[in-house]
Amino acid sequence: MLDFKKLPLDAQLTALLDGETTPEQKHELEQRLATDDGARRLYDKMRNGADFGRHRLEDVLKEPVPLALVRSIKSVQPPKAPLAPRSARPSLKLAPTGRQSLAAAIILLIAGCGIGYFAANSRDSASSQQVTETSGSTNQWLTDVVAYQRLISRQPRHLVEVPAFQAEEISSWLTSTVGVAFRIPDLVASGWTFQGARVVLGDGRPVGQLIYTSSDGDIATICFRKDGQPDDTEDFRETIHDEIGLVTWHNAGTSYVLVGPSSEASLGQLAMQIATAL
């Protein structure tokens, strides 16, 4: 008889999952699972795989048989074989022994766990890939821009890194850092006064920010970055993130967004004016 302790760990854990261990063996395995992280991870994967395989089998068994298949089976008539005279041969019973039945059950369980384990790993890998692709989407930089807008709105005394009177410094600094040539729009006639500029990161890329304020204390920011997107990107699209409104557009491989208070009804018109001035 095989020594249970000499069996591979996965075989011992399979016996534990099947309830085929003695109380002493179960106690030793539970103690090991409580202290051995590797064994615990293997046990969890085997248990999840077994559950996944069992549920999948139940789902398959619940699926209805197509009517066309039933009709095709009924339409097939097996050939009639000539009746052979019965002989006096003794009948041979092919019933499996108890050990054969146990071995077959163990093999089927291990196969089911393996199928479930690999299916679960494939599902986890697909989920990880989907999360990675989503996090790298082009909309991530807009989330970062909104976060920066909320940050500077809470510290009005520290809005900019370079003040407005250093316009030449702002132009050369942002052009070399972001890689986008631009002109600072004059929005005084629209009620917005230029205060200065910042450089931040949006989705891991440098983003230039031109910051304006109104007489009411509101803050509007023109943000731009290089992205290499095609020129047929939808222009002047307005969205709202809680109290912050955004108008996005694209031109010559550069993405732009005007960020301001969502209560400002003229953000779309202001964005068109800015696009012409830039």
Side-chain angles (χ1 to χ4, degrees):
M1 183 177 180
L2 291 177
D3 186 355
F4 184 79
K5 294 183 179 180
K6 293 182 179 180
L7 291 176
L9 178 59
D10 54 352
Q12 296 182 31
L13 295 177
T14 299
L16 179 62
L17 285 170
D18 295 343
E20 299 293 338
T21 56
T22 64
E24 293 78 10
Q25 294 167 349
K26 180 180 179 182
H27 180 68
E28 292 179 1
L29 284 174
E30 288 177 346
Q31 285 186 332
R32 180 170 181 180
L33 292 175
T35 57
D36 189 340
D37 292 338
R40 183 66 184 179
R41 286 194 295 270
L42 177 60
Y43 177 75
D44 289 339
K45 287 185 178 181
M46 293 179 66
R47 183 179 59 186
N48 293 335
D51 292 340
F52 180 83
R54 184 174 64 255
H55 292 322
R56 182 58 187 144
L57 178 60
E58 292 175 355
D59 292 340
V60 170
L61 293 177
K62 292 177 182 178
E63 292 179 358
V65 179
L67 182 59
L69 178 60
V70 175
R71 289 174 177 173
S72 62
I73 293 174
K74 289 184 177 181
S75 64
V76 175
Q77 297 295 332
K80 294 182 179 181
L83 296 176
R86 294 186 179 181
S87 62
R89 292 180 304 173
S91 61
L92 178 62
K93 294 184 178 180
L94 298 178
T97 64
R99 289 186 177 181
Q100 290 174 336
S101 299
L102 178 60
I106 292 175
I107 291 173
L108 289 175
L109 177 62
I110 293 175
C113 290
I115 294 172
Y117 172 75
F118 287 113
N121 279 350
S122 300
R123 181 177 57 186
D124 292 341
S125 299
S127 299
S128 299
Q129 181 180 4
Q130 183 179 3
V131 170
T132 301
E133 292 174 353
T134 302
S135 63
S137 66
T138 56
N139 289 333
Q140 179 60 40
W141 86 287
L142 297 179
T143 302
D144 296 337
V145 164
V146 170
Y148 281 117
Q149 185 76 4
R150 291 197 173 102
L151 179 63
I152 64 176
S153 297
R154 294 187 179 97
Q155 48 179 9
R157 296 180 58 186
H158 305 279
L159 290 178
V160 301
E161 293 180 79
V162 181
F165 65 85
Q166 297 181 7
E168 293 184 2
E169 170 67 17
I170 290 173
S171 180
S172 60
W173 173 45
L174 265 60
T175 300
S176 60
T177 303
V178 182
V180 177
F182 67 96
R183 292 174 295 180
I184 300 175
D186 184 358
L187 305 178
V188 174
S190 300
W192 296 93
T193 303
F194 181 55
Q195 299 296 333
R198 282 177 174 267
V199 171
V200 297
L201 288 178
D203 193 18
R205 299 181 187 179
V207 175
Q209 288 188 329
L210 304 177
I211 301 174
Y212 295 75
T213 59
S214 70
S215 58
D216 298 328
D218 292 328
I219 299 173
T221 307
I222 304 171
C223 304
F224 50 90
R225 70 160 190 170
K226 294 289 289 185
D227 59 13
Q229 293 184 22
D231 290 336
D232 58 355
T233 306
E234 182 179 0
D235 285 342
F236 303 108
R237 178 184 177 186
E238 297 187 44
T239 56
I240 294 177
H241 292 252
D242 296 330
E243 77 285 1
I244 296 177
L246 295 89
V247 182
T248 57
W249 69 97
H250 184 272
N251 184 37
T254 304
S255 287
Y256 299 89
V257 56
L258 173 62
V259 189
S262 59
S263 58
E264 180 61 54
S266 61
L267 276 184
Q269 296 178 353
L270 189 63
M272 295 180 186
Q273 178 184 345
I274 292 169
T276 303
L278 284 170

